[in-house]
Amino acid sequence: MSSHSAVTTIDQFLKPLALDNVVALKLSREFYSTFKDLCIESLNQFLPTPISMSILRPVGRQNTGRVHGFHSTRYLILTFDFSGGSNLRVGFVELLSEGQDRRLNRLLEQSWPILHHLKHENSEHLFGWVGEHIAHVVRKGCETWGLSSDEELPMGVTFSFPMKQTSLSEATLMAMGKGFAITSDLDLGGHLIKGYEQHRTAGLPPLKIAAITNDAVATLVSFVYQFPAAPNQKAAMGLIVGTGCNATIPLQFSKLDKNKFPDLISVQQDWNLLDAGIAVNTEWSINGSASPLRMLGLISRWDDDLDKACEAPGFQPLEYMTAGRYLGELARLIFVDFLTTVQGVPPEDLPQGLHQRFGLSTTFLSHFYPDSDKGDILEQLQKEFELSTDSTFTWTSDHADTLYHIAKAIQTRAAGIVAAATIGLLRCADELPDPSEPVRVGVANGENIEELVVGYTGGCIQHFQDYLKDTQAFLDFITQEEFAAQGKRIRVKLEPCHDGGITGAGILVPAALASTQA
């Protein structure tokens, strides 16, 4: 079979994954409508945090070296990070005043992989392991800076799981997912302190949980603090597309059902709580967001197969279609289906790795394209999936081209979905107007904003094929179609905000300690 005919056939085969500019525009409008409903109705999505935007917007805007009444100092930060694998990171963050080249320093930071067996341990074992590594870094801090063992050390925590919070320093975990066996309704702060105390030796200070947040919220916090916005720009939203997919955005209280509000919300002194707005963790990948995808026919039979095999079928459909944990597995299902049903390859002739769940990794596909720095794609395929010596099947250039087209189709659809959800979310926050209303950008605050900036992080959007470039292209098309005819130059721009998990938690600690609670 020629390469041309292979491409034609695979393009036809992949039509269920097709998502073009017009569909992305329609999807953005459907997401907007859905997100408005979820703000009111959902109990596990659009979760208000105890963080009012009053404690973030002014952070770092002064040249005093102070953050809301606190001199620059060092705070212990803990983060569970899921970019390219499961890791625990512990370190200190030092906030700096404006006028310096950097806004913060990360000090004595160390990282450890969360091995597979730890995910299946009970909470005591897992948090005992975490506490041991916290104690290790605290000990280094004591040796380096002579920290007092009599004074509580404030700690900020970033945790990459859905949680419910009654205050900024307290969090109850919801179902964890991502392969972890720990159940919901777990007191995160209490378990962290207990794990640390098990390994706290003479000379180490007690810890005080000052702030807990999840990775998406921390990304927003870090982005608002560090992004040097021009007068016509606004740091509007935090976006994660790594192993998982999530977003955080400030919303006015009127958008949310009052029964969702945390008991205590941190507010800058002299601010009115209702005027401040609140940082909301959307958890937009959870199943409440599925209806627009189904309405527009974007969920294929392969997506349904992947969903059914997951630990919690039906739980996170948007994540299965956009995030790094799943895109390689989706490609494997499609590739095997094409090879066996279209090309007639007997399943037993295929390498065993292609029959194993997650046998085709997203990381491998990230660099699987013509002229890749990883080498020729046929050679990559042959190396990744070696054939047995007695196999009658042989990898060809057509097979490599087929897999590339699958990866690209998956990535294009994912970029369109993320772009559409981003536009829908910005509209939900009144940062972009309803399509049926006159064009006013930044309407919630009456601002003259021409460019809304979204801070993104995550290995998947950075490295998987053309994910980042295509997401920006979809954003540009949607905003052009919606607003150009009305004479407005409005852009939604993606800007990097890497390591937001650890820096965001560091920024929250002094802001939380200096804030009041309402």
Side-chain angles (χ1 to χ4, degrees), residues 81-260:
D81 172 56
F82 290 93
S83 54
S86 301
N87 295 287
L88 166 70
R89 289 190 294 175
V90 183
F92 288 84
V93 166
E94 180 181 47
L95 304 185
L96 306 173
S97 61
E98 284 194 8
Q100 302 191 48
D101 293 338
R102 295 150 59 96
R103 300 305 314 282
L104 52 81
N105 288 325
R106 292 160 55 186
L107 308 167
L108 303 183
E109 184 179 318
Q110 295 192 41
S111 176
W112 299 268
I114 304 173
L115 300 178
H116 190 69
H117 75 275
L118 287 168
K119 296 182 179 184
H120 296 281
E121 296 283 5
N122 59 32
S123 57
E124 287 73 18
H125 282 90
L126 176 61
F127 286 99
W129 176 82
V130 172
E132 179 181 8
H133 291 298
I134 294 175
H136 173 77
V137 174
V138 172
R139 189 172 296 109
K140 291 289 185 181
C142 292
E143 295 169 354
T144 304
W145 302 304
L147 301 178
S148 171
S149 61
D150 298 324
E151 297 182 9
E152 287 183 327
L153 182 63
M155 183 169 77
V157 180
T158 296
F159 211 64
S160 303
F161 300 97
M163 63 183 81
K164 294 180 180 178
Q165 293 190 257
T166 55
S167 70
L168 187 52
S169 60
E170 299 176 322
T172 300
L173 290 182
M174 299 165 64
M176 289 180 68
K178 296 178 183 173
F180 281 79
I182 293 178
T183 58
S184 57
D185 299 325
L186 183 145
D187 173 16
L188 177 57
H191 276 73
L192 289 171
I193 294 297
K194 181 179 178 181
Y196 172 72
E197 287 294 329
Q198 291 174 359
H199 298 278
R200 179 185 167 205
T201 56
L204 297 188
L207 296 183
K208 174 184 178 180
I209 304 292
I212 299 175
T213 188
N214 84 344
D215 53 347
V217 177
T219 297
L220 174 65
V221 170
S222 179
F223 191 56
V224 169
Y225 178 77
Q226 297 191 87
F227 181 70
N232 67 335
Q233 291 180 315
K234 182 177 183 180
M237 174 180 154
L239 171 67
I240 290 182
V241 189
T243 306
C245 183
N246 196 11
T248 301
I249 197 165
L251 290 178
Q252 295 298 303
F253 282 81
S254 60
K255 301 279 185 181
L256 302 159
D257 186 276
K258 63 181 181 180
N259 293 321
K260 287 186 172 187

Side-chain angles (χ1 to χ4, degrees), residues 68-85:
H68 295 299
F70 271 72
H71 288 284
S72 295
T73 188
R74 304 179 189 96
Y75 301 98
L76 180 66
I77 307 302
L78 163 73
T79 177
F80 276 75
D81 172 56
F82 290 93
S83 54

Side-chain angles (χ1 to χ4, degrees), residues 457-479:
T457 189
C460 191
I461 195 170
Q462 294 177 70
H463 303 302
F464 187 68
Q465 298 285 324
D466 301 308
Y467 204 147
L468 180 62
K469 182 181 74 173
D470 287 352
T471 303
Q472 185 64 66
F474 277 116
L475 290 170
D476 290 343
F477 176 84
I478 295 171
T479 52

Side-chain angles (χ1 to χ4, degrees), residues 52-55 57-58 68 267-277 516 518:
S52 81
M53 294 312 296
S54 69
I55 71 171
R57 292 295 181 198
H68 295 299
V267 184
Q268 186 188 1
Q269 295 180 14
D270 303 324
W271 273 66
N272 183 301
L273 180 61
L274 294 179
D275 293 337
T516 60

